[in-house]
Amino acid sequence: MVQQQELDRAFAALADETRRGILTRLGDGPATITELATPAGMTLTGIRKHVEVLESAGLVTTEKVGRVRECRLGTERLDDAMAWISFYQRLWERRLDGLEAYFTLHGGTPHDTNTDTTNDTKGTES
């Protein structure tokens, strides 16, 4: 399985709304730092820092083309993150299927174990 540190970096990078927006934009094709900064209303330095985080996580690649830096999606880490998510999705689907089967075998309702006393009015004065 993928090394934990690589996944940690990818998920940490994805946790930021601005960086997710950058990835969404790059899904349409390559873009320069300036093209990424303009719709985000950020400075070039600010957007560059976000791109560096994405690049260090392997989610984006950059290349100097003439006087500009062009950014592209780096799909390898996205594929790793999706594989991790898919593994746990299948795991939970199996567990929930087992829970559904349990309730089906037992008449569709769990045993009444409600011990909630929030509606208990004994001993209260009106």
Side-chain angles (χ1 to χ4, degrees), residues 60-76:
V60 166
T61 60
T62 64
E63 177 184 8
K64 186 105 167 144
V65 179
R67 297 181 63 187
V68 297
R69 182 155 295 277
E70 191 170 83
C71 306
R72 298 176 188 274
L73 282 179
T75 59
E76 186 176 327

Side-chain angles (χ1 to χ4, degrees), residues 11-125:
F11 285 123
L14 292 169
D16 183 84
E17 181 180 0
T18 300
R19 292 191 285 266
R20 289 191 309 271
I22 291 169
L23 292 176
T24 299
R25 166 54 187 87
L26 293 177
D28 294 335
T32 65
I33 296 291
T34 303
E35 291 170 336
L36 294 172
T38 302
M42 295 185 76
T43 64
L44 295 178
T45 303
I47 207 74
R48 178 73 183 132
K49 287 180 181 182
H50 283 290
V51 169
E52 287 172 359
V53 170
L54 291 166
E55 191 171 25
S56 72
L59 298 171
V60 166
T61 60
T62 64
E63 177 184 8
K64 186 105 167 144
V65 179
R67 297 181 63 187
V68 297
R69 182 155 295 277
E70 191 170 83
C71 306
R72 298 176 188 274
L73 282 179
T75 59
E76 186 176 327
R77 288 297 148 243
L78 284 175
D79 291 343
D80 292 341
M82 283 303 302
W84 186 89
I85 290 168
S86 294
F87 172 81
Y88 284 97
Q89 179 182 14
R90 288 188 306 274
L91 176 79
W92 279 104
E93 285 174 350
R94 284 192 305 267
R95 288 181 177 185
L96 291 172
D97 288 345
L99 185 61
E100 181 181 31
Y102 172 83
F103 284 126
T104 300
L105 288 172
H106 291 87
T109 58
H111 298 303
D112 186 12
T113 58
N114 186 359
T115 58
D116 184 13
T117 58
T118 57
N119 292 326
D120 188 5
T121 58
K122 292 181 185 176
T124 61
E125 293 182 24

